[in-house]
Amino acid sequence: MLRSWLARRLLLGVAQTAAVVLLVFVLTEALPGDAAVALAGDQPDPARIAAIRTEMGLDRPAAERLADWVLGLLHGDLGTSLASGRPVAAYLADGFGPTLLLAAITVTLLVPAGVGLGVLAARREGSLADRLVSSTTLAVYAVPEFALGVLLITLFALRLGWLPPTAVGSGGDLLAQPAVLVLPVLVLLSRPVCSISRLVRAGMIDALRSPYARQAARYGLSAARVRYAHALPNALAPAAQQLARTVDWLLCGVIVVEALFVIPGLGTVLMNAVAERDVPVVQGLAVVFGLVAVVLNLGADLVARRLAPRAGVAA
Amino acid sequence: MRKSDGSVVRRPGLLRKPDGTMVRRPGLAGLLIAGVPLLLALLGPLLAGEPGPRTASFTLGGGHWLGTDFVGRDVGRQILLGGQSVVLVALAATALAYAVAVPLGLAAALTHRTWLEELLMRPLDVLLAVPSLLLILLVAAVFSPGAAGLALLVALVNIPDAARIVRAAASEAAARPAVEALRMQGETWWRTAVGYVGRSALRTFAADAGVRLTGVLYLVATAAFLGVGVEPDAADWAVMVDRNRTGLFVQPWAVVVPALLIVALSMGGNLVVDAVLGGQGRGAGAGVSDAPDATDAPDATDASEVPLKPAAPDLPAVTDATYTPEMADASNMAVAADVLDTKEGSR
């Protein structure tokens, strides 16, 4: 049962990987107005477009180009930029550090903050803490990062002057000035923390009402033991599943937050490439982002499965 | 709203406590919070009037009660004009997503052919892993989608998830004895699918549509902020936040006011949706993820009617953790076997 589930889930992961690669290729190459038209710029001169097409090999059949590109990917060759001629891998290396730092800090804080808030709210349903946490997380959950971020910049950087408004001037070395990171991480955390804490709260309340929790209490186990040793693991399963969904948000969030706070990470590289219509760079970054999403989704599913092998215990 | 409060997402077994007052208050607050930007978005263009002459950029005062923006236009007028696109694109995208997802999900839920269901639903599973904003940016790299293109893209991104929820809700209704009766009576597919199954699952669709709308609003605004699907100097709240950021130190109003309006719109919208779904009672509920919705969905339709075969009622719509194809297949095959049995019996 478990093994067949695992096999199916892994197979799905492989299919998703293939789909990401195919989708990236199809969307960027098969749409009307290919890279050559995009590159020719505001004065689309047919001769120039034809020249670019030949130079890029766009006049070859699509299947052939796809095969070439996939073969390159398998060898770790992501292609070369149209705008600068540098390999795409170099772009990746440029932006990798800041993004990884941002993501690592966010994920490290995300789980304790989300679970902590959820448990705090679920301890006494309807208490002041519960109402405060519940209404705040519900309200903040759907707010786009850029709007929240700009308001936080206005308040904390402009009005109060506590924190720097952007990462400009940090020279890419974010760790040297930790203050630069406070607002981006806060903004990046806003949505996932809300969703996870709400799921943990709901799961905890459900679990604490369940027959097994009552039975454990009847056996004389302490309230804390029932709460943390018995109810919490069951409450974490839906949250772990939500963690997979959060991956999507974090990837979106990273792009927005880097644009907003001028952090020279992968999101900025991607947005610059989109603006310059540098298709190979966009393709390479999209494949990397997509693969990260597929792998993290897989990981979150495995964790959720481990936490609740028999789903629906708490529900 | 009150009526649906009590009946939408409640299971008899899990009724909590008489927390009705708690449910309604955030809803009312949400209505008030979302009302201001919504009214501005819908009525603003009517009140905006003719454009005045352009003046220096990022000035305060001088006849402009909110100052001027990065090209010297009146910020107040831009704000009156700027809500419409966000709201309309979000509504269009949600409607479009459902226009595709409902037939797809219904067809998958009602078919007895496993291969057909797999064919319809598997590709969507695969698509679920692709980050939504990434897909939109990818298209934006090659050609510039207009507002209609953005709506289409956002709809496309939402189809996989919506179709899964439709299927999960519909397959519960499709497993009821009534459907078999309709089938044996020789009713058309249309009457069974739309007249019975679709109608039974309508509440779930509505609940999911509400949740989806807030997600779509987020995506539309974020895409506009990143410059996708909008002109660089468009009168759009998200574009205003982006373009006027350079003058934040001199003229904060051009950024803060549209940002506040977007925050109010998404915050209030979420509070309203949650209150309508009776979210507080379910805890995490509706506003947070689609997963609890989908699990609630079968119960939401009609608690009194016990389904003949629980057609994967605990099928979560979002993740694959507990969604095993065996579950769907098994339930479908069970239903199919039942139908065959009854057919043979009647002979």
Side-chain angles (χ1 to χ4, degrees):
Chain A
M1 178 68 190
L2 175 67
R3 197 168 295 168
S4 98
W5 177 83
L6 202 64
R8 272 171 185 278
R9 188 61 190 81
L10 287 177
L11 203 65
L12 180 66
V14 173
Q16 284 173 332
T17 309
V20 165
V21 170
L22 202 65
L23 205 67
V24 167
F25 183 82
V26 168
L27 279 181
T28 46
E29 304 252 340
L31 280 173
D34 60 14
V37 179
L39 209 69
D42 296 331
Q43 287 94 34
D45 171 22
R48 186 166 144 68
I49 291 175
I52 296 174
R53 269 206 186 117
T54 322
E55 190 191 333
M56 288 170 64
L58 283 175
D59 47 355
R60 292 183 300 147
E64 204 181 309
R65 279 181 288 132
L66 176 64
D68 270 5
W69 187 58
V70 172
L71 267 179
L73 286 183
L74 289 176
H75 290 106
D77 173 21
L78 292 165
T80 39
S81 155
L82 291 178
S84 68
R86 289 172 68 207
V88 176
Y91 280 88
L92 275 176
D94 283 351
F96 190 66
T99 302
L100 189 71
L101 182 68
L102 213 55
I105 297 175
T106 306
V107 173
T108 316
L109 294 176
L110 170 63
V111 176
V115 173
L117 276 177
V119 169
L120 180 75
R123 272 174 63 105
R124 280 233 326 273
E125 201 186 346
S127 65
L128 182 67
D130 179 22
R131 273 180 290 161
L132 216 62
V133 170
S134 294
S135 50
T136 313
T137 49
L138 178 61
V140 176
Y141 155 77
V143 174
E145 285 98 352
F146 75 89
L148 185 69
V150 125
L151 292 179
L152 289 180
I153 292 177
T154 312
L155 181 63
F156 289 108
L158 260 53
R159 288 278 136 207
L160 301 171
W162 292 352
L163 296 163
T166 62
V168 171
S170 64
D173 187 14
L174 298 172
L175 272 181
Q177 292 168 283
V180 164
L181 284 168
V182 175
L183 284 180
V185 168
L186 208 63
V187 172
L188 211 46
L189 277 172
S190 62
R191 294 185 77 207
V193 161
C194 290
S195 84
I196 287 180
S197 71
R198 289 180 67 77
L199 281 171
V200 167
R201 173 185 174 275
M204 275 291 271
I205 288 172
D206 263 350
L208 286 174
R209 278 167 200 280
S210 67
Y212 68 79
R214 255 180 266 134
Q215 185 69 2
R218 259 180 241 125
Y219 274 133
L221 298 186
S222 69
R225 178 118 186 249
V226 173
R227 195 177 291 139
Y228 298 114
H230 296 278
L232 187 58
N234 278 305
L236 287 181
Q241 290 176 2
Q242 179 64 15
L243 215 54
R245 163 61 56 107
T246 311
V247 167
D248 181 33
W249 296 355
L250 282 180
L251 288 176
C252 294
V254 160
I255 296 171
V256 174
V257 163
E258 286 183 4
L260 188 62
F261 292 94
V262 204
I263 296 168
L266 289 179
T268 306
V269 175
L270 177 65
M271 286 316 297
N272 288 343
V274 167
E276 289 178 350
R277 314 227 150 184
D278 196 344
V279 175
V281 177
V282 175
Q283 282 176 333
L285 279 165
V287 166
V288 169
F289 270 100
L291 286 190
V292 169
V294 168
V295 169
L296 292 180
N297 262 305
L298 184 66
D301 271 5
L302 294 180
V303 170
R305 178 82 177 185
R306 176 70 199 85
L307 283 171
R310 199 163 58 82
V313 168
Chain B
M1 191 161 66
R2 270 174 203 224
K3 258 185 210 160
S4 55
D5 240 353
S7 52
V8 175
V9 204
R10 224 165 246 183
R11 303 186 214 197
L14 281 172
L15 251 179
R16 306 233 167 276
K17 49 167 189 161
D19 56 1
T21 48
M22 264 182 71
V23 172
R24 271 164 214 142
R25 228 179 288 138
L28 192 63
L31 214 57
L32 288 176
I33 295 172
V36 175
L38 209 58
L39 281 178
L40 260 182
L42 297 178
L43 302 179
L46 302 176
L47 305 173
E50 292 301 304
R54 293 194 181 188
T55 52
S57 50
F58 295 133
T59 55
L60 281 166
H64 307 284
W65 61 284
L66 283 175
T68 57
D69 71 353
F70 69 107
V71 284
R73 294 173 299 189
D74 181 49
V75 171
R77 183 167 184 277
Q78 293 293 105
I79 281 170
L80 287 176
L81 292 173
Q84 200 179 27
S85 49
V86 179
V87 172
L88 289 188
V89 169
L91 284 175
T94 312
L96 257 171
Y98 269 88
V100 179
V102 168
L104 209 64
L106 279 183
L110 277 162
T111 181
H112 285 163
R113 297 179 186 88
T114 316
W115 62 265
L116 183 60
E117 189 181 353
E118 294 273 307
L119 190 72
L120 289 174
M121 301 308 289
R122 283 291 126 183
L124 301 182
D125 284 2
V126 169
L127 280 183
L128 273 177
V130 184
S132 37
L133 194 59
L134 190 66
L135 208 69
I136 292 171
L137 288 177
L138 211 56
V139 175
V142 185
F143 77 135
S144 313
L150 182 60
L152 208 68
L153 274 174
V154 173
L156 193 75
V157 166
N158 273 282
I159 287 171
D161 201 39
R164 292 185 65 157
I165 284 174
V166 169
R167 197 199 74 111
S171 61
E172 187 271 339
R176 290 187 196 158
V179 172
E180 275 160 50
L182 283 170
R183 259 194 200 121
M184 279 189 284
Q185 203 172 305
E187 292 290 355
T188 56
W189 186 89
W190 182 263
R191 279 202 67 175
T192 319
V194 179
Y196 183 77
V197 174
R199 222 181 50 196
S200 312
L202 202 60
R203 273 188 193 153
T204 312
F205 298 172
D208 177 61
V211 177
R212 197 160 302 284
L213 187 61
T214 58
V216 165
L217 196 67
Y218 164 86
L219 211 53
V220 168
T222 302
F225 172 75
L226 292 174
V228 179
V230 286
E231 295 295 318
D233 61 346
D236 181 298
W237 292 339
V239 178
M240 289 178 74
V241 171
D242 178 34
R243 304 294 291 183
N244 293 325
R245 264 190 304 152
T246 41
L248 193 60
F249 283 87
V250 219
Q251 216 288 60
W253 296 116
V255 175
V256 169
V257 177
L260 273 175
L261 286 169
I262 290 172
V263 168
L265 189 61
S266 47
M267 230 180 216
N270 207 33
L271 290 174
V272 169
V273 167
D274 189 75
V276 170
L277 299 181
Q280 212 81 1
R282 265 294 292 166
V288 165
S289 91
D290 307 319
D293 273 338
T295 40
D296 282 346
D299 307 84
T301 45
D302 216 341
S304 59
E305 239 177 297
V306 180
L308 178 71
K309 288 268 192 290
D314 49 357
L315 188 114
V318 174
T319 58
D320 286 289
T322 46
Y323 172 75
T324 57
E326 295 101 301
M327 261 155 74
D329 294 352
S331 57
N332 266 333
M333 267 144 72
V335 175
D338 264 12
V339 174
L340 281 178
D341 277 354
T342 40
K343 267 185 190 158
E344 253 154 59
S346 66
R347 240 173 243 159

